[in-house]
Amino acid sequence: MRFNVVVARCMLLSLMLVMLFSTACATRNKEVARDYYNLGTGYLDAKNYVRAREYYERALDLDPSLAQASYNLARVYLLIDRVDEAIDILQDLLRRDADNLMVRETLAYAWSAQGEWQRSADIMEAVVDDNDVSARGWLNYSITLLEIDRFQAAGQAADKALLLQPDNESARFVKVIAVAYSTPDDLVDLEGQLGELYAKAPSRRLVIELGDALETAGRFDLALDLYTATVEKYDDDGELSFRRARILIEVVDDRSAGVDALVRALSKGMKEDERLLALVSQVEDELPAGVLGDEGDDGAAGAADSAVSGGQQQ
């Protein structure tokens, strides 16, 4: 009998030691996971996305419940254009915490990055109904609304972003785009602000989208000012020079300036398309010698060849 009691005590003591050891290991794993997370965040801030991903994955191997590491890993995947994997992580996080505003906004952005604009809009509409949205959330929502042609709503969302962050240049661009499409007559009220806005253009994409909106509204004067103000910053492929040339030749009837802009577009290596060929055909005789390529080339086709070869030379 006494022997059985001793054995039972030994077994209980062993079990307690195992539990203590397991608890210590779990605690240690969480501590190391936190260290890996901090390293990953340092690499993320330094834009070293490969190492950031590595350390976030190490952190999650040790502590799968570390939600912030999962969220930041999703951000890394978005930054390296592995959007599907980001979406999987964000959806898993929402299954754990369905009301997390930051995760919901980021998932909406991820769907928009996939071109799933309606899915993105559906998420943001629910977020807008349920929560206070961040300036970035309102901005992403406004861009999503533009993509699904809900222009007035896009302008309203941009206004919300600007209330929270008045110096957000992207939101200001979206606001003007929305006005140009939905109420173009109101552009008159914004004209005094546009010069300063153009000078702070935050991205080539928004320049192109605003240019499209202004041209659709028939405000070629404002579009020309936009292209002129941004051509030095965002004309690596010749697109903005081409747009300047088209307006100068077809609308303003300043053929000399238009030809200069077209030559610049060709020298930037603008890719051949129907727009380029059509414009070249209008001023072919006015282009400087050599711009159209060899004498054996045939008109606009030669200009396209010249554009391609110009790109190769650069």
Side-chain angles (χ1 to χ4, degrees), residues 142-153:
S142 68
I143 292 172
T144 296
L145 291 168
L146 283 182
E147 293 292 338
I148 58 176
D149 296 342
R150 292 176 55 186
F151 301 121
Q152 286 188 319

Side-chain angles (χ1 to χ4, degrees), residues 128 133-135 138-139 153-165 171:
V128 167
V133 179
S134 68
W138 282 117
L139 173 60
Q156 292 166 359
D159 283 336
K160 296 282 190 179
L162 290 167
L163 281 175
L164 296 172
Q165 197 175 57

Side-chain angles (χ1 to χ4, degrees), residues 31-41 52 55-56 58-59 62:
E31 291 173 353
V32 175
R34 176 60 61 173
D35 290 339
Y36 283 152
Y37 165 77
N38 290 334
L39 285 168
T41 300
Y55 279 100
Y56 287 139
R58 288 187 183 185
L62 293 174

Side-chain angles (χ1 to χ4, degrees), residues 98-102 104-105 123-134 138 160 164:
D99 296 325
N100 190 304
L101 175 61
M102 183 169 61
R104 292 167 76 185
E105 285 186 4
I123 292 173
M124 285 306 302
E125 283 170 3
V127 169
V128 167
D129 288 341
D130 296 345
N131 296 280
D132 292 328
V133 179
S134 68
W138 282 117
K160 296 282 190 179
L164 296 172

Side-chain angles (χ1 to χ4, degrees), residues 8-9 69 92 126 129 143 146 156 169 181 199 215 223 247 286 296:
R9 287 177 175 174
D92 181 63
D129 288 341
I143 292 172
L146 283 182
Q156 292 166 359
E169 304 303 336
Y181 279 125
E215 291 192 43
I247 293 174
E286 301 169 53

